[in-house]
Amino acid sequence: MGNVSSSPVFKDIIVAVHGIGQQSRYSTVRSVATRLAASKTLFAGGKDRPVAPQPLGYFHSEVRGITSVSLLDDAAILAKTALASTGFAEVFWADIPEQVVQEGSTLEETKAWARTVVARAQALWMHAGRPGIVTPDFGLAAEVLDEIIETVYVLENLLFLADKAGLFKFDLRRVLEDYLGDVQIVTEFANYRSDIVVRFHQAMADIYEEQRKNGNQHVRLHVVAHSEGTVVSFLGLLQAMSGQQLTPPASPNDRPQLKDADQVPEWLKHVHGFMTIGSPIDKHLLLWPRLWNTLKPALADAVLPAGQIRWRNYYDYGDPIGFKLDTARRWLDHQQSKAFQFCGCPACRHDIGFARYLLPGKAHNDYWNDPDVFDHFVDDVVALPKANNPAAKRPTDKPVIPWLSPALPYVFSAAVLVVGVYLFCKAVANFTYPDDPLTKYFLFTAISVEPTPSVSRWGLFLNTLGIAGLIAGTTLFARFPRLAAGWLWKFAGWVAFVIGCLLYAALVSEPSRRESGAIFIWLVKWLVERLGIGSPITDIVIATTGTVLVALAVGVLGSWVTRRGKQGDEDRRQRWFLKGMRPLILCGAFAVAVIVASQLYPQDFGLDTKLTADEDKQLTKEQREIIKAAGFDREELDQLFKAKPVRLDRIARVKSFLTTRPPVWPVLLAAAGFLYLWWLATLIFDLAFVWQRYIRRSVANQRLREWGPDALRQSGDGRNQPEQCRNPARTSSGAQDGR
C-alpha cells in the first residue's frame, strides 16, 4: 500500500475495509464517512453541515499507491467538533480477486465449488463420529444447493424487469458469485489470501507510523469492515496479536511478507474499535479451521489491556451472508484471548441482531443506508461513553419488518403459482365455453339453445385459488422431506396436503370439479357396470376424490427423489428421472394433461353427455353426429329437446357453429407457462425455506458446531472476560442502564 500521505494529527482514525464484489477505490470509506457525517455525537457544536457524500476524488491520494487519511471536509467547517480530529482511511483489496477473475483459469465454477463446501461439512460430520439421530443426506444437500444457485440465476431476470420498471435495482446473481468468488480466494488460495491480509497490515502500519512521526502517540484506530472484509480484518488482527509483523521487501520488485516476530506490532496497541457488519466469520471458522489453527492471539494479552478492542457486530436477520458471531466468541474463549471486548451476555449484547431491512438478500448491502447502526458504534465505541453518559441506543427492529421480511419470499412464491394456475384455467375456460356473442345469437334463434356461459370472474378467481391450494399442498408434501430431515417435516407435508385438499373442495365450484374429474366418474361407472353392483357415491364426490388421489400420487412420486441410493451419498447428477424437480413436474404435467384432455375432448374419451333413449329416437344419423361433435352438456340438450317448437331440423343449418372449436394452441401455451411458473414458484419456495431455516435461524451453523471441535461447542458469551461484565467502565452503555 505504500506510505501514508502527509496528514494532520488525528485523535481517531476510521479504517474502512470493503466486502465482496467489484469495488471502486475509496467508495467504502466514503460510505463510512457519509454515515458519520450525520452523527450528532461527532458533529456536536458544529454550524455548517459538512459535504456528504464527498466525490471519490476527495479521498484520493496525490501519489499513486499511497494510503491516504482524510478529514471528512475542510478543517474550518469541522472546527469545534469531534470530526475535526477524526480521519478516514481505506484498505482496498478488490483488485486482487478481480485480477484472478479476469485471468479466468484459477477460480472454480460456482456449483462445483459449492459441492466442495458440502464435502467439507460431510468430513466434519464423519470426523465427529456421525452424531445425530437422522443421518444427513449430503448428496441431496449438494443437489439442493445446485438448485438454489440456479434459482438465483432465474431470479436475476425477474429483478432485471423490476429494475427496468423503476421499482428497485439489485443484482442478486452478482452478490452470489462475487461472495462465493471472494470466499474462494480468501479461503482456498494461500498466496492470494496472504497478499490481501498484507494489504491490511501495511495500511494499519503506515497509518500509525505517519501519526507517530507527527508526534501523535495516542491515536486511536477503529476498523469498520463489511462482509468478507470482516474476515480479512479479523485475520489481520489475529495475526498481529499472534506476533506476526511485516518484513520489508528484499528488492523493489518483491512484496512485504508476514513473519513471526514473537511480539505484536506497534499499530495493534492503538486499535480500540472493531465494527463488523454482515459478517460471515463464523462460517469461515467452522468450514476452514486450518486458517485459524496456527494463530495464538493470547500473546497480545501481555501488552493489550483486557477488552481494549471494543468489537461490535451488526447483522440483519434477512442477511444471507452475515449473522451472529457466537462461534467467534467461543473460539476466542478457547484461545483464552482477552483483547476483544465482545461479550454475548444479555447485559452487554455486543452481537446485535435486528430486522430492519425489507428485502431478504438485499439486506446485505442495506447497512450503508442505516444511520442508526453507525450512530450506535460511534456512541458506544468511538465516543468512549462514560458511566454517567447517556446510553448508546442500539438499532432495533422496525415495525412490521420482523414478520413481513420472512413472509415476502413465500408470498412471492404463492403469487407466482396463482398466476400460473389462473392463466391455465382461463385458457381452458375460453376453449370449453367460448364467449362469442354472434354464435350465441345464431344458436338461440336457430335451435333455441343458449350455450352454457363460462365461469364468472369471481368463480374463476375462486377456482384458481382452490386449484392453486391443491397444487401448493402437493408441492409441499413432496418438497418438505427434501429440504429438511425428520418425521416432523414429513408430518408437515401431510398437513399441507390436507389443507390443499380442503381448499380445493371448498373453493372450486361443483361444475368445475365435476368437469375436472369426469374421467374418474366414467371409470367408476364402468367398474360398477362390469361388477354389477350399485354405487351410492355421488358424481361430485367421485370427481373430487379422484382429483385428490391423483394429486397425492404426484406428491408421492415427487418426493421419491429424496430416496437414498444403494451407495449412500451418491452423485445424484448421474440420475435422470429421480433428479431435482423432474419427478414432480413430469408427473404433474402428465396428470394435468390427462385431466384437461378429457375435459377438452370428452367425446374422444367417451365422457360426452349421453342422449336418453327418447332423445336418440328423434334424431337422424347426421343430427346425432353433429350433436356429439358439438359437445352439448345436459342443460343444452334439455333446451334443444324441450324447445317449443322443437327445431331439430335446423341443426344441420348451424353445423359450422356447433362443430367449430377454438384453436387449442392458447391452451398448450398456457399449459407450458403454468408448468414453468409452477417450477419457478417451487424453486423460490425452496430458496426461501433454506434461507429461513438454515441461515436466518442459524441451523446450518448449529449443525457445523455440533460436528466441530469440542471447544466450539462450549458457551460463547465471553466467559473468559467476567470482569468486563461486572465493570461498568468496560461494558457497553446498554449494560450500564440495565438494558
Side-chain angles (χ1 to χ4, degrees), residues 39 46 85 108 111 128 162 169 179 228 232 319 477 518 551 620 681 734:
S39 169
S85 59
E108 192 170 10
K111 291 183 180 179
K169 181 177 181 180
Y179 173 65
E228 192 67 12
V232 172
D319 186 348
F477 177 84
T620 66

Side-chain angles (χ1 to χ4, degrees), residues 170 172 175-176 179 278-280 283 315-323 359-365 367 687 690-692 694-696 701:
F170 181 51
L172 187 60
V175 168
L176 173 70
Y179 173 65
S279 174
K283 299 176 181 63
Y315 61 94
D316 187 88
Y317 299 133
D319 186 348
I321 296 175
F323 210 68
L359 295 179
K362 187 174 180 292
H364 185 62
N365 292 320
Y367 303 101
L687 177 62
V690 169
W691 163 71
Q692 178 76 11
Y694 295 101
I695 299 177
R696 186 183 180 99
N701 276 8

Side-chain angles (χ1 to χ4, degrees), residues 470-487:
L470 179 61
I471 295 174
T474 303
T475 304
L476 296 180
F477 177 84
R479 302 304 284 182
F480 273 147
R482 177 179 175 80
L483 300 174
W487 66 268

Side-chain angles (χ1 to χ4, degrees), residues 179-206:
Y179 173 65
L180 294 182
D182 287 356
V183 170
Q184 273 196 69
I185 291 173
V186 171
T187 58
E188 311 289 4
F189 300 91
N191 56 333
Y192 294 125
R193 178 174 64 250
S194 177
D195 291 344
I196 291 172
V197 179
V198 161
R199 291 275 184 94
F200 176 81
H201 280 261
Q202 187 73 69
M204 299 296 287
D206 289 349

Side-chain angles (χ1 to χ4, degrees), residues 27-89:
S27 62
T28 304
V29 68
R30 178 177 68 176
S31 298
V32 175
T34 300
R35 292 273 64 89
L36 268 60
S39 169
K40 296 180 180 179
T41 301
L42 295 182
F43 196 68
K47 296 181 179 179
D48 298 327
R49 298 300 302 179
V51 175
Q54 291 279 10
L56 293 181
Y58 174 83
F59 299 96
H60 201 278
S61 172
E62 297 179 357
V63 182
R64 183 178 177 84
I66 290 184
T67 304
S68 60
V69 180
S70 306
L71 284 170
L72 179 64
D73 204 339
D74 293 340
I77 295 178
L78 304 177
K80 299 181 180 180
T81 71
L83 286 172
S85 59
T86 304
F88 296 88

Side-chain angles (χ1 to χ4, degrees), residues 436-444 451 657:
D436 184 359
L438 185 60
T439 299
K440 290 182 179 179
Y441 172 77
F442 276 107
L443 292 180
F444 185 77
F657 290 100

